[in-house]
Amino acid sequence: MSTLTRQTLSHLDWLEAEAIHIMREVAGQCANPVLLFSGGKDSICMLRIAEKAFRPGKFPFPLMHIDTGHNYKEVVEFRDKRAAELGERLIVRSVEDSMKRGTVVLKHDNESRNKHQSVTLLEAIEEFGFDACIGGARRDEEKARAKERIMSFRDEFGQWDPKNQRPELWNLYNARSHKGENIRAFPISNWTEMDVWQYIEREKLELPSIYFAHQRPVVIRQGAIVPVNVPLMSGELTNLPRAGEEIVDLQVRFRTVGDISCTAPVESDADTVEKIVIETATTTITERGATRLDDQTSEASMEQRKKEGYF
């Protein structure tokens, strides 16, 4: 007589299985998808999900990063290193190229390029004919992202209408679209910041060094910690201090990583993933609320950017 063994799955096992299922649905339903990979912690988790979904074969899609030209050097170097290790094709399209074409025009030299990624992304989608972009956005990050479906429909202009989304009952996902339309797929929508860090800990995933506590010159600007004199890939310094600002060296780490001009670190002594998990469990400030200066311009800033084609 055989003995049945009952296996109990952890919450991370459930989240991972759901993400693998969603990623395979995109690959099965879409003709030409792409996986957005910035080198940040969420997209690093997405790479591991893709490995578990499709290895030992190659990914059924390339990787793509929309580079503002003002991304942290440590993250860009990690992005290239990780893509090379996986042996996967990495497409990089730059906001600076859109500026040269005249499709992106900054109001002034110091304007954040973050929101202008929408233009470059839509240009890349048209250039390669992508019908789906797989991203690492999570619903717990921000109110507009909480409204979004796992398979988020974008019209022929790349725009998102929160009132025109498809129902997703019983984990049935509809990724079909007409030519010119696009799907943004978010396999880790149901994950939280804590889930991401616990998954990184469990899978022993490598990260860019700026996620861990380190000394950095900063100024305190409108209550936020703002990095200054940050080196770009070119060696040029950006985020220069303003007149009258006092530069101090603080021990900080980044909870989320984006354009240098709008991503603030937090004070921290967490220099290991284990310490970050503990710190995340006790924080009372949301991830983007504490660190994304572009989301603080208005309560609807993210929703407006998404309607214009943002990730």
Side-chain angles (χ1 to χ4, degrees), residues 109-122:
D109 290 343
N110 295 324
E111 182 189 3
S112 172
R113 302 177 181 185
N114 194 54
K115 68 177 183 179
H116 297 295
Q117 291 177 94
S118 304
V119 174
T120 310
L121 174 63
L122 295 177

Side-chain angles (χ1 to χ4, degrees), residues 267-302:
E267 280 196 81
S268 174
D269 61 1
D271 55 3
T272 66
V273 174
E274 293 79 7
K275 290 179 182 179
I276 292 175
V277 169
I278 294 171
E279 192 173 89
T280 303
T282 58
T283 186
T284 58
I285 303 176
T286 63
E287 178 182 355
R288 294 185 73 93
T291 63
R292 294 307 291 263
L293 305 180
D294 52 335
D295 288 346
Q296 297 172 11
T297 55
S298 79
E299 288 194 353
S301 56
M302 171 63 85

Side-chain angles (χ1 to χ4, degrees), residues 213-216 225 249-253 266-270:
H214 59 284
Q215 292 287 328
R216 183 177 288 270
I225 300 172
D249 277 338
L250 284 184
Q251 185 167 256
V252 298
R253 72 174 182 87
V266 296
E267 280 196 81
S268 174
D269 61 1

Side-chain angles (χ1 to χ4, degrees), residues 126-278:
E126 183 176 3
E127 176 186 355
F128 292 99
F130 294 130
D131 57 354
C133 295
I134 309 168
R138 310 186 320 269
R139 286 176 175 145
D140 79 318
E141 289 182 276
E142 202 274 338
K143 289 182 288 186
R145 285 179 165 168
K147 295 180 181 180
E148 199 146 34
R149 298 288 194 268
I150 286 175
M151 298 286 187
S152 180
F153 173 74
R154 306 297 172 98
D155 65 20
E156 63 271 25
F157 302 106
Q159 296 178 327
W160 174 66
D161 181 357
K163 297 180 181 179
N164 181 27
Q165 295 294 304
R166 298 165 177 175
E168 292 181 339
L169 306 175
W170 306 293
N171 294 330
L172 298 176
Y173 303 111
N174 181 358
R176 290 175 296 177
S177 61
H178 296 293
K179 185 175 178 59
E181 298 172 342
N182 191 260
I183 293 293
R184 307 288 171 83
F186 303 113
I188 63 172
S189 283
N190 293 327
W191 295 34
T192 65
E193 182 186 9
M194 175 63 89
D195 295 327
V196 168
W197 282 112
Q198 288 181 321
Y199 191 72
I200 289 169
E201 181 181 29
R202 188 185 82 171
E203 298 293 313
K204 297 179 173 57
L205 300 181
E206 187 181 356
L207 294 164
S209 60
I210 64 174
Y211 277 111
F212 302 101
H214 59 284
Q215 292 287 328
R216 183 177 288 270
V218 302
V219 298
I220 307 301
R221 185 179 298 162
Q222 297 178 339
I225 300 172
V226 178
V228 292
N229 297 329
V230 183
L232 299 173
M233 290 295 290
S234 63
E236 179 187 357
L237 297 181
T238 189
N239 260 29
L240 302 179
R242 298 173 183 173
E245 289 183 328
E246 180 186 0
I247 301 176
V248 296
D249 277 338
L250 284 184
Q251 185 167 256
V252 298
R253 72 174 182 87
F254 288 82
R255 289 176 67 182
T256 183
V257 173
D259 189 89
I260 293 169
S261 64
C262 61
T263 306
V266 296
E267 280 196 81
S268 174
D269 61 1
D271 55 3
T272 66
V273 174
E274 293 79 7
K275 290 179 182 179
I276 292 175
V277 169
I278 294 171

Side-chain angles (χ1 to χ4, degrees), residues 80-132:
D80 295 342
K81 171 177 170 289
R82 192 73 190 100
E85 288 172 349
L86 289 168
E88 299 292 344
R89 179 188 177 199
L90 172 65
I91 298 167
V92 178
R93 288 296 178 265
S94 173
V95 172
E96 292 184 340
D97 289 337
S98 297
M99 292 165 61
K100 292 175 184 175
R101 288 191 291 269
T103 53
V104 167
V105 179
L106 301 183
K107 294 178 182 177
H108 51 81
D109 290 343
N110 295 324
E111 182 189 3
S112 172
R113 302 177 181 185
N114 194 54
K115 68 177 183 179
H116 297 295
Q117 291 177 94
S118 304
V119 174
T120 310
L121 174 63
L122 295 177
E123 290 173 343
I125 288 171
E126 183 176 3
E127 176 186 355
F128 292 99
F130 294 130
D131 57 354

Side-chain angles (χ1 to χ4, degrees), residues 7 9-10 12-24 27 35 43-61 82 86 88 188 191 198-205:
Q7 182 179 4
L9 299 180
S10 70
L12 289 180
D13 292 327
W14 282 105
L15 290 170
E16 179 188 72
E18 178 187 56
I20 290 171
H21 169 65
I22 293 165
M23 200 170 283
R24 286 173 174 167
L35 175 60
S43 60
I44 289 169
C45 290
M46 294 287 290
L47 285 189
R48 177 51 56 91
I49 296 298
E51 286 184 273
K52 294 196 175 187
F54 304 113
R55 287 297 193 237
K58 298 279 287 183
F59 294 172
F61 38 66
R82 192 73 190 100
L86 289 168
E88 299 292 344
I188 63 172
W191 295 34
Q198 288 181 321
Y199 191 72
I200 289 169
E201 181 181 29
R202 188 185 82 171
E203 298 293 313
K204 297 179 173 57
L205 300 181

